[in-house]
Amino acid sequence: MVKKIIGGMLAGAALTAASPSLAATAVVGFSNTGSVFTNFTGDRTVGFTFNTANNISVTELGWFAVSGALNASHRVGIWSLAGTLLGSTTVMPGVAGVTGFRFASVSPISLNAGQQYFIGGTDLGSDGDNYRTGVSNLVMGNGITFLGSAVALNDPGFAFPSTVAANTGGRFGPNFVYNLTSAVPEPSTWMMMVFGFGIAGFAMRSRRRNVQVSFS
C-alpha cells in the first residue's frame, strides 16, 4: 500500500514537470494577398503584439524574405508590455530560396502565459527587404494569439514598437520559434510533496517495526 502511495506521488511529480514539446513557429502562415510595405523612408521597427496561453521559451527570431532571400541583416527582438527588451538577435542575409522566414538563434527568452508581448524587427528604408502587410488567412502557432500590428513610429532604428493597430493585417516582418516549457511546481506544492514523502517514510518504518515485533 505504501509503495502504491509513493508511486502515485512520483507519477504526479513527473506530470508536474512535463518534458518540453517540439519547436513550433508563432506565425505558421498567411495568404500572400497583402501588400509589400514600402512607405517608410528611414529605418523603422515593425512587427506585432501577441499573447501566449502557455509558458514558452523562444529559441529563434526571424524575418520574412519577400523575394526568397534577404539583402541585408535585420535585428529582431521581443519586448514586454512595459517596453523592456527581453532578448534580440540579428538575422543575417539568407541564400536564395523559396519565399518564407529566415531565422537566427537567440539566447532562450522565457514568456509567461497570459502576458502580452511585442515582437519587432528593423525594416531598413533602402535595403529592398520590404515586409508583407495586410495579409489574409493568418494562422498562428498553438497557444499564440495575434493582437494587432505594431510599429515604432517616433523612434528610428531598433526601438520598442509600441504603436498598435488592432487588426489582423499584420506587419511580417518578424517571427519566432518557441517551445512549451515545463511547469514549475509552486512552493506550496513542493511542501505538500515533501510532507507526503515524510508520512510515507514514517509509515514504512512503522510497518518494518511491526513486522519485526510480530515475528520475534
Side-chain angles (χ1 to χ4, degrees):
M1 180 65 181
V2 174
K3 289 183 178 179
K4 289 182 179 180
I5 294 174
I6 295 176
M9 293 173 69
L10 290 174
L15 288 173
T16 303
S19 299
S21 65
L22 296 176
T25 305
V27 180
V28 176
F30 49 75
S31 298
N32 278 329
T33 54
S35 59
V36 176
F37 193 86
T38 59
N39 290 350
F40 291 134
T41 56
D43 300 348
R44 284 290 186 275
T45 298
V46 299
F48 59 92
T49 179
F50 65 95
N51 63 22
T52 170
N54 310 293
N55 293 334
I56 63 174
S57 177
V58 176
T59 57
E60 297 178 54
L61 297 173
W63 186 263
F64 189 65
V66 174
S67 61
L70 294 177
N71 298 314
S73 59
H74 297 264
R75 188 178 177 188
V76 181
I78 291 181
W79 288 261
S80 69
L81 180 61
T84 301
L85 180 63
L86 304 177
S88 68
T89 191
T90 299
V91 182
M92 304 302 292
V95 297
V98 297
T99 299
F101 290 92
R102 298 287 181 265
F103 289 94
S105 297
V106 65
S107 297
I109 305 170
S110 297
L111 304 183
N112 297 322
Q115 301 296 312
Q116 183 177 351
Y117 297 96
F118 290 74
I119 180 171
T122 306
D123 175 55
L124 307 179
S126 58
D127 62 12
D129 291 335
N130 301 300
Y131 62 89
R132 183 71 65 179
T133 186
V135 302
S136 59
N137 300 319
L138 176 63
V139 179
M140 303 297 289
N142 181 34
I144 307 297
T145 300
F146 176 90
L147 299 178
S149 302
V151 60
L153 284 177
N154 299 320
D155 298 300
F158 186 71
F160 176 40
S162 58
T163 301
V164 177
N167 59 63
T168 58
R171 294 180 184 271
F172 313 105
N175 196 0
F176 63 89
V177 174
Y178 66 97
N179 293 289
L180 296 180
T181 56
S182 301
V184 179
E186 296 292 333
S188 58
T189 304
W190 281 116
M191 290 300 295
M192 291 178 65
M193 291 171 63
V194 171
F195 180 71
F197 285 133
I199 292 176
F202 177 77
M204 291 183 68
R205 289 194 297 272
S206 298
R207 184 172 182 273
R208 283 198 296 269
R209 285 198 297 271
N210 291 337
V211 169
Q212 290 169 358
V213 170
S214 299
F215 287 90
S216 60

